[in-house]
Amino acid sequence: MDAPRWSAVDAYFAERLAPDDVALREALAASGQAGLPAHDVSALQGQMLALLVQIAGARRVLEIGTLGGYSTIRLARALAPGGMVTTIEADARHAELARGNIARAGVADRVDLRVGRALDVLPTLEAPFDLVFIDADKPSNPDYLGWALALSRPGTVIVGDNVVRGGAVVNAASSDPNVQGVRRFVDLVAAEPRLTATAIQTVGEKGWDGFVLARVGEG
Ligand code: SAM
């Protein structure tokens, strides 16, 4: 199996199960034209996030790392009535573009976009969130896990993206700060008695990667 076939399989399932509509296609196009990195989740991954929001019945969702707002739109559309996604983006240019994409997708009333470094914004947020999606700078993942727990309640779902990194996660001697951030994050998840967690590897249009999925239990 190789990358082009992974992409073809992604396209096969995405066309049937999670097609991008006009707003999502325009959001990706606007981000691409503005030169943002193509680090958005895939359509199928976005649909998985939406399903998790729906399965959890989430009304308060926290996203760390907005980029152009693609995952934010997928999350916002899945909210229970009266729900809100709080999303944090450090790069003002990304945030401005995301604001436009979110407005064009018709979900601006359900998105609270905070511009700033996540570690500055997180202490200003009110708990609890029902679902937390961690998708920003990986070296800060250990701190983001701490904040996700601090802003959680029993039952909160935590998703940490990009934890496989093309298999590099198993290299304890890696000099890549992203790999080390993910490894420390996984160790902290494993050591936290309140968390039940798994990690799922994925292949597809985004290459070989994966995510950690965790649920907060009773303290
Ligand atoms: N969640 C987005 C999606 O799937 O559409 C993709 C997010 S992208 C992987 C990561 C984003 O995190 C980038 O836009 C980057 O500017 C932002 N970021 C990086 N460091 C950050 C920080 N310290 N605080 C907040 N955002 C940060």
Side-chain angles (χ1 to χ4, degrees):
M1 199 71 162
D2 54 15
R5 291 186 71 195
W6 297 344
S7 294
V9 172
D10 248 13
Y12 167 82
F13 284 118
E15 274 167 24
R16 285 155 181 81
L17 305 177
D20 282 335
D21 60 15
V22 174
L24 288 164
R25 275 198 301 277
E26 284 182 1
L28 291 176
S31 298
Q33 279 158 19
L36 268 58
H39 292 166
D40 339 69
V41 294
S42 70
L44 291 167
Q45 290 161 352
Q47 184 79 323
M48 184 200 73
L49 292 172
L51 281 164
L52 289 173
V53 168
Q54 290 175 342
I55 290 164
R59 289 184 68 253
R60 296 196 76 224
V61 171
L62 171 61
E63 176 179 61
I64 307 175
T66 317
L67 191 62
Y70 180 86
S71 54
T72 318
I73 295 167
R74 290 258 183 193
L75 290 164
R77 286 175 167 178
L79 288 168
M84 181 70 69
V85 178
T86 300
T87 184
I88 309 173
E89 176 54 56
D91 186 313
R93 213 169 59 85
H94 295 185
E96 190 188 334
L97 203 99
R99 218 177 276 289
N101 288 335
I102 288 162
R104 278 189 295 279
V107 293
D109 59 335
R110 279 165 273 167
V111 176
D112 176 10
L113 172 56
R114 307 284 182 102
V115 185
R117 288 178 60 253
L119 290 178
D120 295 330
V121 175
L122 286 162
T124 71
L125 302 180
E126 201 176 304
F129 286 92
D130 306 312
L131 184 143
V132 182
F133 178 43
I134 301 173
D135 192 22
D137 52 320
K138 309 311 169 195
S140 299
N141 266 19
D143 294 320
Y144 296 154
L145 178 67
W147 277 106
L149 286 165
L151 294 169
S152 73
R153 58 162 174 78
T156 294
V157 175
I158 300 173
V159 183
D161 203 6
N162 309 125
V163 298
V164 173
R165 317 204 66 79
V169 69
V170 297
N171 183 5
S174 173
S175 57
D176 181 343
N178 296 311
V179 170
Q180 291 303 337
V182 166
R183 286 180 62 89
R184 181 83 187 120
F185 169 76
V186 173
D187 286 345
L188 291 171
V189 169
E192 172 54 56
R194 279 175 293 169
L195 290 176
T196 307
T198 188
I200 300 294
Q201 298 186 68
T202 56
V203 293
E205 64 176 85
K206 301 289 173 178
W208 178 22
D209 212 335
F211 57 90
V212 161
L213 175 63
R215 179 185 180 276
V216 180
E218 300 299 326

